[in-house]
Amino acid sequence: MKGANYIDGRWVDGAVPFDTVNPSDLDEIVGHYSKVGEAEVREAMAAARRAQPAWGAFNMQARADILHKVADLIKSRAQDIGLLLSREEGKTLPEGVGEALRAAQCFQYAAGDVVRAQGEWYNSMRDGFNVLVTREPVGVVAAITPWNFPIALPSWKVAGALAFGNSVVLKPSSFVPGCAVMLAQILEEAGVPAGVFNLVMGDGRATGNVMIDEADALTFTGGTATGRTVLTRAAETMTKCQLELGGKNALVVLDDADLDLAVDIASNGAWIQTGQRCTGTERLIVTRGIHDAFVERMAKVAAGYRVGHALDADTQIGPVANAPQFNENLQFVVDARAEGAEVAAGGGAVEGRTRGLFMAPTLLVGTKPEWRCNQHESFGPIASVVMVEDLDEAIHAANACEYKLSSGIATTSLKNAERFRKASQAGMVTVNAPTAGLEYHVPLGGRAPSGYGARETGASTAEFFTESKTSYINHGAI
Ligand code: NAD
């Protein structure tokens, strides 16, 4: 794969070349790319500024048709995109292809948004007046994305922004820019006019600062620490912000849970996709009566996974996506042990047939809610178990963490489920389902510091990607 930046309809090589490596096989280079400097990022922002008014006024049907075409092209190339994703990020091939198909669905949904966009009409208290509330594009959107969903995440941001008549400059994570390059190729092929969509690869802070300063709105997904930095920067220019940030999601398992189901959803949430989902389960809060049976079953499931090269047909859990994250994960377990956690499964690296970043699905037990391992996001295949006495203590433990993204409960009691759903401070709650695994037609996001500003996807898309205008019309007495 050789991928360039895409600025004002032109493919541009930057001055600083960089390569990506396959986390399943560190001896394999996957892509050759180049980073642009601040001047080129400014050029991309200026191109987006010039192109936006015409795109905002673009014929509604024509804009929807283009987004449908993007969806069709992504679908027709889902295998290629999924393969590149697997090689660059480390998801298994079915997960990679599945993510590509999700990206196509996001564009399909956005195409519908173009023609669904609505306003409101009010009677006025003043005789002879009407009041209209309409939505207009917010303008130039800066989109900054992390490495864990290299095609779906840029797609739902770009699709939503374009649907509502905005222009976009996208900066993907330098660990996984390949899918963003493929997306840019598809947008060009589908007929998105020059300057309406731009792709820049660059260092986070330098590139990000120019984007934040020059944009009307920033849609950012990444870690909470980075989120705080970008929010501080955005305050200077009062750039509208939507931040989707870290999580430390808790699944409560009550004595009355269906044990098979509880183990199924807990293991899915904790370890599938190598635990690299912002909504993945990192804390398992389990009542005393079911604790031992649950831990025993979870340890067995963890030990039974086939961890390995993302492209091997029998692999269930691919590698950790990059070396810094891999080292952080291993250190996380060391630190957890030091504070008293016992390792019931996994805990370290796994040998593979290639030189990859393979880590065993890990289960920590005997932990306390206030320990670092239950407060600090690990973002890997690691879950820690906290034993509690009852639902009250479980609710308290689940909420006793600064992150507030997703949470869940396994119970056969409707009453317990409803109590938890209401008491949870997370932005998303699941009942008898994994804390991860979201749909594109409903809002996604958490409360601060897991999120800030309007939620993403579904009906929230319009809230973030438009500005509302209230108009008083004096048509005179009729
Ligand atoms: P990260 O914060 O390190 O980087 C995210 C993006 O920000 C990258 O493109 C990076 O280059 C850029 N960046 C870095 N410094 C910047 C700066 N000063 N200004 C502007 N941009 C800057 O995150 P990551 O390691 O790529 O991703 C993992 C994190 O993302 C985890 O914390 C995870 O929970 C979070 N995440 C959250 C959601 C959600 O919806 N809440 C979804 C996916 C991932």
Side-chain angles (χ1 to χ4, degrees):
M1 169 83 184
K2 184 169 179 338
N5 299 268
Y6 184 64
I7 300 173
D8 204 10
R10 287 173 295 112
W11 292 94
V12 179
D13 283 323
V16 184
F18 71 102
D19 294 340
T20 55
V21 289
N22 186 341
S24 295
D25 183 352
L26 299 176
D27 296 320
E28 184 192 331
I29 303 280
V30 178
H32 306 282
Y33 310 96
S34 57
K35 292 183 182 179
V36 290
E38 286 181 34
E40 289 96 339
V41 181
R42 271 183 219 291
E43 215 180 301
M45 298 303 292
R49 178 74 56 202
R50 285 192 302 274
Q52 190 278 322
W55 179 246
F58 212 75
N59 177 270
M60 213 162 88
Q61 186 62 55
R63 198 176 341 141
D65 290 346
I66 288 177
L67 296 186
H68 271 301
K69 190 161 179 201
V70 174
D72 291 345
L73 287 168
I74 294 177
K75 246 194 262 173
S76 70
R77 287 175 204 169
Q79 285 295 330
D80 292 344
I81 297 170
L83 180 60
L84 176 62
L85 198 162
S86 294
R87 291 176 64 218
E88 207 158 67
E89 196 265 356
K91 284 194 175 80
T92 64
L93 189 57
E95 287 167 350
V97 174
E99 191 185 322
L101 293 171
R102 168 55 57 94
Q105 289 165 337
C106 292
F107 275 96
Q108 262 168 350
Y109 181 87
D113 261 348
V114 177
V115 295
R116 267 194 304 265
Q118 293 164 347
E120 290 161 11
W121 180 92
Y122 289 80
N123 290 326
S124 173
M125 288 155 199
R126 297 180 232 175
D127 294 337
F129 277 66
N130 287 327
V131 188
L132 297 180
V133 180
T134 50
R135 290 195 169 270
E136 298 181 352
V138 69
V140 175
V141 171
I144 300 180
T145 52
W147 49 258
N148 65 325
F149 285 102
I151 187 69
L153 225 151
S155 290
W156 75 58
K157 288 184 187 300
V158 171
L162 294 184
F164 288 99
N166 303 285
S167 56
V168 184
V169 177
L170 167 68
K171 191 206 90 61
S173 164
S174 302
F175 287 117
V176 293
C179 289
V181 172
M182 286 187 87
L183 178 63
Q185 290 165 348
I186 285 173
L187 289 162
E188 180 183 46
E189 199 176 323
V192 173
V196 170
F197 172 80
N198 306 270
L199 169 72
V200 291
M201 291 175 263
D203 286 326
R205 183 178 292 270
T207 309
N209 283 351
V210 175
M211 290 171 72
I212 295 164
D213 292 353
E214 304 288 331
D216 298 302
L218 166 72
T219 173
F220 171 91
T221 302
T224 291
T226 321
R228 285 201 168 97
T229 306
V230 302
L231 186 57
T232 306
R233 180 81 186 195
E236 287 174 29
T237 41
M238 292 200 184
T239 302
K240 185 177 185 182
C241 278
Q242 170 183 65
L243 312 178
E244 295 303 341
L245 308 171
K248 188 75 194 166
N249 313 301
L251 175 73
V252 168
V253 179
L254 296 184
D255 285 357
D256 66 23
D258 172 330
L259 183 59
D260 290 342
L261 181 68
V263 169
D264 191 42
I265 65 179
S267 52
N268 177 310
W271 299 314
I272 294 303
Q273 293 188 22
T274 324
Q276 297 172 154
R277 293 181 287 181
C278 53
T279 47
T281 310
E282 296 194 10
R283 296 181 293 149
L284 295 162
I285 298 169
V286 187
T287 47
R288 183 181 290 277
I290 199 170
H291 176 273
D292 292 357
F294 176 77
V295 166
E296 193 188 322
R297 291 275 301 276
M298 285 291 283
K300 254 191 209 142
V301 173
Y305 281 124
R306 290 183 299 277
V307 179
H309 195 296
L311 295 180
D312 288 352
D314 64 347
T315 293
Q316 293 171 301
I317 297 193
V320 174
N322 53 69
Q325 186 64 55
F326 183 68
N327 294 332
E328 257 185 54
N329 292 354
L330 298 183
Q331 188 59 44
F332 188 92
V333 178
V334 171
D335 293 344
R337 278 188 138 132
E339 61 185 344
E342 289 165 44
V343 176
V350 177
E351 284 284 310
R353 68 169 178 82
T354 45
R355 202 167 65 85
L357 301 170
F358 306 118
M359 180 173 181
T362 296
L363 187 67
L364 304 172
V365 295
T367 73
K368 299 282 175 220
E370 64 279 11
W371 289 2
R372 181 183 182 276
C373 66
N374 285 310
Q375 295 292 327
H376 189 89
E377 184 182 41
S378 63
F379 216 57
I382 307 168
S384 19
V385 177
V386 173
M387 190 171 75
V388 293
E389 296 302 327
D390 54 25
L391 178 58
D392 285 330
E393 200 184 331
I395 289 172
H396 185 264
N399 285 337
C401 175
E402 70 159 348
Y403 291 109
K404 292 174 171 47
L405 185 55
S406 179
S407 71
I409 187 165
T411 175
T412 49
S413 157
L414 188 55
K415 189 173 169 186
N416 288 341
E418 184 56 9
R419 261 201 67 205
F420 180 78
R421 195 191 67 74
K422 281 197 168 156
S424 171
Q425 293 168 357
M428 295 175 283
V429 181
T430 62
V431 175
N432 293 323
T435 58
L438 307 168
E439 298 176 323
Y440 58 86
H441 66 304
V442 289
L444 173 174
R447 298 183 194 176
S450 287
Y452 181 91
R455 299 284 196 265
E456 288 200 285
T457 67
S460 307
T461 314
E463 190 185 334
F464 183 70
F465 288 119
T466 63
E467 288 287 351
S468 126
K469 179 180 276 177
T470 305
S471 309
Y472 289 84
I473 316 288
N474 180 0
H475 53 69
I478 297 170

